[in-house]
Amino acid sequence: MTDITSSELLAVTAARELARRRVVFAGHGLPTLAVSLAQRTVSPEIEIVYESGVTGAHPVDLPQSIADSMLVTGAECVLGMPQLFSYVLQGQRIDVGFLGAAQIDRYGGLNSSIIGDWAKPKARLPGSGGAIEVMANAGEIFVVMRRHTARTFVEELDFCTSPSPRRAREAGGGVQPHGKGVTRVITELGIMAREGIDDELELVAVHPGVTAEQVRAATGWDLKVADDLAELAPPSGDELRLLREELDPNRIYLR
């Protein structure tokens, strides 16, 4: 696996997790690439929905952003933002929301807003976009994290951009999210998973050469490890060829 980059590893692993999923809301970056790869491999019938309002996209090339005009050509439908969020998201028509984040906690809460103190942050990030609505209304959430360190997998978020169902319940207000929240987290070390509203993320699989002890050391809380911890198969030659030669030859996302 020495010639496989972290981005390639993440894209392939994330795409495989989309097998048997039907309607997927694709976030910007690696989620866009992973969903495109899944459409070419494990899930050809997948229906891709983008925050720009394009639903049922069949792009002839890899979009450079979620608002790339090429997404419109061949799409099943293009909706305005009120219709997308009201009828599609809040109508609970999304099976999987595919997101990224700067920080994640043990229950799947996400931070994509700031690093550091709110009054004087060390870094300002893009913010929620539609992530909070996706978190609340999609059946489940997959998250791709480019870095797996104790600064990205944290005991307490610097800022909660998208609350987990558990955190939303504890905040009160009588509104409970529709879906399970984050059920899969894909990193360069392996995969974490959770199911119930009060369940923590648990390490369920590692990449070849990675140990559970390495993952626990890189995580900012006392990470649980599945009794039947699996080892993931490395990317195949065909998956790498699709990524490198057909989907992203200019390495827009495979940086």
Side-chain angles (χ1 to χ4, degrees), residues 109-191:
L110 305 178
N111 172 22
S112 55
S113 296
I114 65 166
I115 299 299
D117 182 75
W118 173 258
K120 195 174 182 180
K122 297 177 182 177
R124 294 187 182 276
L125 307 173
S128 171
I132 188 169
E133 287 86 356
V134 177
M135 175 74 89
N137 293 291
E140 58 182 324
I141 303 295
F142 289 3
V143 178
V144 177
M145 299 287 286
R146 282 189 176 272
R147 296 177 180 83
H148 192 142
T149 71
R151 297 176 63 185
T152 54
F153 286 76
V154 295
E155 182 71 41
E156 185 65 34
L157 301 173
D158 289 358
F159 180 86
C160 182
T161 308
S162 303
S164 63
R166 175 188 171 99
R167 187 162 184 158
R169 181 191 64 190
E170 292 175 346
V175 178
Q176 180 60 43
H178 156 69
K180 296 179 179 180
V182 175
T183 60
R184 290 287 187 279
V185 181
I186 297 100
T187 84
E188 61 188 357
L189 298 181
I191 296 176

Side-chain angles (χ1 to χ4, degrees), residues 189-202:
L189 298 181
I191 296 176
M192 297 180 184
R194 55 176 294 281
E195 287 295 330
I197 189 171
D198 291 313
D199 291 344
E200 297 181 15
L201 287 166
E202 179 182 58

Side-chain angles (χ1 to χ4, degrees), residues 38-81:
Q39 196 174 47
R40 298 284 295 273
T41 54
V42 298
S43 193
E45 300 302 318
I46 203 168
E47 180 178 342
I48 308 175
V49 179
Y50 291 94
E51 191 177 343
S52 53
V54 179
T55 63
H58 303 281
V60 296
D61 204 350
L62 185 69
Q64 296 193 29
S65 74
I66 58 172
D68 196 318
S69 60
M70 77 168 62
L71 291 174
V72 175
T73 302
E76 306 296 334
C77 184
V78 180
L79 301 172
M81 297 298 283

